[in-house]
C-alpha cells in the first residue's frame, strides 16, 4: 500500500507559482476583484489565513469566487494546490493522465478500499485494463432495464415515504433519508448485485468511505479510520456474498444465477496473467458502490432543488416528465446538476514539469510535484466557452456538462448514472404533491457531513391518488 505522505509533499512547489498567473482578460476591466484583493493583502507566509479566506468564499459565494478567478487569475496558485478554473484548461488537466495523475486522492482511496482501484491509479494495468473491464460489465445496453428498475423501486420507496408521513401525522418527509438514499441503495442491491447486504449499510458505509478519500484534505484521522473500517466491513460482506454465489452456481456455467453486475463479473473469465481473482471482483464491486451511492442520492436531491428554485423551469420539467420518451426530461436534470454538481472539483498531482494552456495568455508552467485542482464547476460556467452560462438552458453541447467528469477518469458508470439520476427525479415530479415547500427550496441540511443529509418536501397524496 502506498504511503499517504505523497499527498502533501508538494506544497513548496505550489508557493513558487504564487503570483505567476495574473493574466489579463477581456472581462477583467469590469470585474471587482473583491476576493483577490483581500487574499493578496494577506502575507504569503500566513498560510492558515489565506486558506480560511478561500474556504469562506467557497462556502458563501462559490459562483462569485470562480467568476473572479476565471477573469483575473484563471490558474490560481494557493497553498492547497493550483486551482485551474477555465474550461479548456480543466479539460487539458483531466485528459493528460501521464502528467496529471490521481496521486492526490489515490493513496487514501486504496487505503479505504484495501485494494487497488481504477480511480486510484494511472497507467496500463489497474487503470486502463480495469477501466475497460468496468466499461464491459457496466454495459450501455443495460440502460433501459436499469431505468425501468429504478422507476419501480423508486415508486415503492416514495409510496412508503408518503404513507410514513401520513402515519406520523406529518405533511412532509425527508427526500434524502426517506427516499433518495433508500431508492439508490435498492438499485445497488438489484443492479450491482449486493443482495443480502442491508441498504442502510450500503449507504452509511459508502458515505464514510467517500468522505475519507474524497473530502478529507486535512487527513482527519477519525474520518480516515471510519472510512477504512467501513471499507473493510463491506469487503468482508462482499467476500461472503461471492462465496455464496460461487457455491450456488458450482457445477453450472452460472448463467442461471442473478443477472446483475456481480453475476456478470463472476461469469467473466480473463486470462490468468491478468491476476483478476475474486479479490479484484470484490474491490471493483465495492469501488463501484462508492462511485455511485452518495452521488446518486445527492444528485437526486440537488437536481430537484435547482429545478424548484426556478418555477418556470420546474413547470416545463414537469410537462417533460409526463412524456413517454424521457429524453427531453433528462436534459433538465443534467442542466440542473451543472448548477450543483456532486463533484465540483477533482484533485490531480502534476508529476512532470508541464506548461499548462501553452500558446494562450493563461500559459503557466506547473512544476512536477504540484497538486492541481481541476475546477469542474467553474469550467461549466466559463463565459468564453459556455453561451450565457448563468441561464438555465437545456440542449447545451454535451462537452459543456462535466457532471460525470472528463477524460482519463471520467465516470465509467455513466450509462447507469445517465438513467438512474433522471429517473429518481422524474418519479418525484410525476407526483404533483411532492415538492420542496415554497421558500424552503434551498434548505438542505448537511448535518455536519460533506453531503446533504436532509431535505424536507411536502408529502403529497398517498399512493393511488397521484
Ligand atoms: C450516480 C451518479 C454518478 C455521478 C454524479 C458520478 C460522477 C463521477 C465523476 C465526476 C467521476 C470522475 C472523478 C474524477 O475525475 O476524479 C466519476 C468516476 C467514476 N465513477 Fe461515477 N458517477 C456516478 C455514478 C457511477 C456509477 C453508477 C458507477 C458504477 C456503478 C460509477 C463508477 C465510477 C468509477 C469506477 C469512476 C472512476 C473511473 C476511472 O477512474 O477511470 N459512477 N464518477
Amino acid at each position: 500500500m502506498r504511503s499517504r505522505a505523497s499527498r502533501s509533499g508538494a506544497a513548496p512547489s505550489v508557493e513558487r507559482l504564487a503570483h505567476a498567473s495574473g493574466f489579463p482578460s477581456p472581462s477583467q476591466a469590469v470585474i471587482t476583484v473583491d476576493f483577490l484583493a483581500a487574499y493578496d493583502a494577506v502575507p504569503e507566509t500566513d498560510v492558515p489565513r489565506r486558506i480560511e479566506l478561500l474556504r469562506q468564499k467557497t462556502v458563501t459565494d462559490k459562483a462569485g469566487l470562480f467568476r473572479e478567478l476565471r477573469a483575473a487569475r484563471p490558474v490560481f496558485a494557493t497553498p492547497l494546490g493550483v486551482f485551474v478554473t477555465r474550461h479548456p484548461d480543466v479539460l487539458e488537466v483531466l485528459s493528460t493522465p501521464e502528467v496529471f495523475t490521481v496521486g492526490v486522492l489515490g493513496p487514501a482511496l486504496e487505503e479505504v478500499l484495501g485494494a487497488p482501484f481504477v480511480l486510484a491509479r494511472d497507467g496500463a494495468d489497474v487503470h486502463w485494463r480495469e477501466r475497460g473491464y468496468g466499461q464491459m460489465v457496466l454495459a450501455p445496453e443495460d440502460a433501459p432495464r436499469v431505468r425501468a428498475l429504478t422507476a419501480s423501486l423508486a415508486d415503492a420507496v416514495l409510496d412508503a415515504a408518503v404513507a410514513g408521513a401520513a402515519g406520523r401525522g406529518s405533511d412532509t418527509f425527508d427526500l434524502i433519508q426517506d427516499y433518495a438514499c433508500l431508492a439508490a441503495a435498492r438499485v445497488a442491491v438489484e443492479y450491482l448485485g449486493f443482495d443480502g447486504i442491508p441498504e442502510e449499510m450500503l449507504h452509511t458505509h459508502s458515505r464514510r468511505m467517500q468522505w475519507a478519500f474524497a473530502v478529507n484534505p486535512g487527513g482527519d484521522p477519525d474520518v480516515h479510520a471510519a472510512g477504512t473500517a467501513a471499507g473493510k466491513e463491506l469487503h468482508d460482506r462482499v467476500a461472503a456474498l461471492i462465496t455464496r454465489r460461487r457455491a450456488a452456481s458450482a457445477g453450472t456455467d452460472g448463467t442461471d444465477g442473478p443477472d446483475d453486475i456481480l453475476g456478470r463479473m463472476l461469469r467473466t473469465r480473463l486470462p490468468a496473467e491478468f491476476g483478476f481473482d475474486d479479490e479484484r471482483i470484490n474491490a471493483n464491486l465495492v469501488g463501484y458502490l462508492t462511485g455511485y451511492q452518495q452521488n446518486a442520492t445527492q444528485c437526486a436531491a440537488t437536481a430537484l432543488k435547482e429545478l424548484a428554485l426556478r418555477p418556470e423551469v420546474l413547470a416545463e420539467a414537469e410537462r417533460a416528465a409526463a412524456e413517454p420518451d424521457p429524453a427531453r426530461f433528462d436534459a433538465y436534470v443534467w442542466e440542473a446538476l451543472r448548477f450543483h454538481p456532486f463533484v465540483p472539483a477533482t484533485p490531480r498531482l502534476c508529476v512532470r514539469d508541464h506548461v499548462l494552456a501553452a500558446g494562450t495568455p493563461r500559459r503557466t508552467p506547473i512544476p512536477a510535484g504540484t497538486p492541481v485542482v481541476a475546477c469542474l464547476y467553474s469550467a461549466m460556467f466559463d463565459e468564453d466557452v459556455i453561451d450565457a452560462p448563468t441561464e438555465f438552458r437545456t440542449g447545451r453541447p454535451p462537452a459543456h456538462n462535466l457532471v460525470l467528469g472528463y477524460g482519463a477518469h471520467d465516470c465509467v458508470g455513466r450509462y447507469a448514472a445517465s438513467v438512474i439520476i433522471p429517473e429518481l427525479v422524474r418519479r418525484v415530479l410525476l407526483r404533483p404533491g411532492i415538492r420542496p415547500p415554497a421558500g424552503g427550496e434551498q434548505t438542505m441540511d448537511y448535518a455536519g457531513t460533506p453531503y446533504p443529509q436532509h431535505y424536507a418536501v411536502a408529502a403529497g397524496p398517498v399512493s393511488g391518488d397521484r
Side-chain angles (χ1 to χ4, degrees):
M1 203 59 57
R2 280 175 276 161
S3 124
R4 299 179 68 207
S6 59
R7 273 181 289 154
S8 55
S13 315
V14 177
E15 289 309 309
R16 277 193 274 137
L17 279 172
H19 303 301
S21 50
F23 306 102
S25 146
S27 41
Q28 190 173 359
V30 294
I31 294 280
T32 320
V33 278
D34 286 332
F35 167 75
L36 286 172
Y39 183 88
D40 290 344
V42 175
E44 213 175 303
T45 47
D46 193 347
V47 170
R49 251 182 82 209
R50 283 192 154 190
I51 292 178
E52 182 51 23
L53 259 186
L54 189 55
R55 196 196 61 78
Q56 267 175 21
K57 185 73 177 171
T58 313
V59 171
T60 57
D61 181 19
K62 191 163 50 148
L65 167 69
F66 285 116
R67 192 168 51 243
E68 190 180 333
L69 291 181
R70 282 192 303 276
R73 211 169 292 173
V75 184
F76 177 44
T78 81
L80 297 174
V82 174
F83 283 48
V84 176
T85 64
R86 294 280 310 276
H87 189 274
D89 305 344
V90 166
L91 265 45
E92 179 179 344
V93 168
L94 297 180
S95 53
T96 318
E98 57 284 2
V99 175
F100 298 105
T101 73
V102 288
V104 179
L105 59 77
L109 172 53
E110 292 200 358
E111 281 173 27
V112 162
L113 206 54
F117 188 54
V118 274
L119 187 51
R121 298 274 176 121
D122 292 280
D125 55 359
V126 171
H127 180 226
W128 286 121
R129 181 193 300 153
E130 295 197 16
R131 207 181 140 81
Y133 172 86
Q135 207 57 94
M136 180 179 66
V137 295
L138 296 162
E141 56 270 26
D142 291 344
R145 179 168 68 99
V146 175
R147 178 152 218 147
L149 177 72
T150 305
S152 71
L153 294 172
D155 271 344
V157 177
L158 272 180
D159 285 344
V162 172
R168 291 191 305 274
S170 170
D171 54 6
T172 65
F173 69 87
D174 184 340
L175 184 95
I176 294 175
Q177 295 302 323
D178 299 338
Y179 171 61
C181 70
L182 270 178
R186 282 186 196 170
V187 173
V189 170
E190 297 284 330
Y191 176 57
L192 296 180
F194 286 94
D195 50 285
I197 304 184
E199 294 147 2
E200 157 79 10
M201 177 183 279
L202 295 177
H203 188 73
T204 55
H205 283 43
S206 62
R207 186 183 67 215
R208 287 179 197 147
M209 293 171 75
Q210 193 151 41
W211 189 349
F213 79 78
V215 275
N216 189 23
D220 180 328
D222 293 341
V223 170
H224 188 74
T228 310
K232 167 93 177 67
E233 202 173 338
L234 274 180
H235 165 275
D236 294 350
R237 293 285 192 134
V238 169
L241 171 59
I242 290 175
T243 304
R244 282 201 305 279
R245 292 268 193 115
R246 289 268 188 226
S249 65
T252 73
D253 64 1
T255 48
D256 54 350
D259 183 19
D260 51 27
I261 299 304
L262 175 58
R264 201 172 273 166
M265 288 164 124
L266 293 172
R267 289 191 295 276
T268 302
R269 302 252 179 285
L270 294 179
E273 64 268 26
F274 286 3
F276 202 88
D277 57 13
D278 283 356
E279 280 297 300
R280 297 301 310 134
I281 291 179
N282 192 327
N284 275 281
L285 191 70
V286 177
Y288 295 160
L289 180 77
T290 45
Y292 156 71
Q293 176 66 25
Q294 304 305 312
N295 308 22
T297 301
Q298 176 174 319
C299 287
T302 58
L304 181 65
K305 175 195 67 149
E306 292 297 327
L307 293 172
L309 283 168
R310 299 170 175 81
E312 283 175 19
V313 172
L314 178 66
E316 290 165 23
E318 286 169 346
R319 280 192 290 278
E323 292 170 6
D325 178 355
R328 206 170 70 83
F329 173 75
D330 294 359
Y332 284 92
V333 173
W334 294 108
E335 175 68 352
L337 291 171
R338 190 172 65 87
F339 290 85
H340 193 150
F342 181 73
V343 180
T346 183
R348 294 293 186 264
L349 182 64
C350 178
V351 294
R352 276 190 218 162
D353 292 354
H354 181 79
V355 178
L356 183 71
T360 78
R362 306 182 303 281
R363 179 185 191 284
T364 308
I366 313 248
T370 305
V372 169
V373 183
C375 299
L376 297 159
Y377 166 80
S378 175
M380 291 192 280
F381 286 83
D382 185 340
E383 299 78 356
D384 288 357
V385 174
I386 319 292
D387 193 26
T390 56
E391 276 178 29
F392 191 108
R393 280 191 196 170
T394 57
R396 293 184 181 279
H400 291 183
N401 190 306
L402 304 175
V403 167
L404 294 176
Y406 186 86
H409 288 275
D410 78 346
C411 182
V412 83
R414 64 169 55 240
Y415 299 103
S418 69
V419 290
I420 295 169
I421 301 176
E423 198 55 36
L424 286 174
V425 182
R426 185 161 167 254
R427 299 331 286 181
V428 174
L429 292 197
L430 286 171
R431 302 185 188 214
I434 304 180
R435 294 290 179 273
E441 297 91 347
Q442 196 85 265
T443 316
M444 279 189 167
D445 177 3
Y446 283 65
T449 77
Y451 309 109
Q453 298 298 316
H454 307 288
Y455 189 37
V457 290
V462 289
S463 174
D465 303 337
R466 288 173 217 161

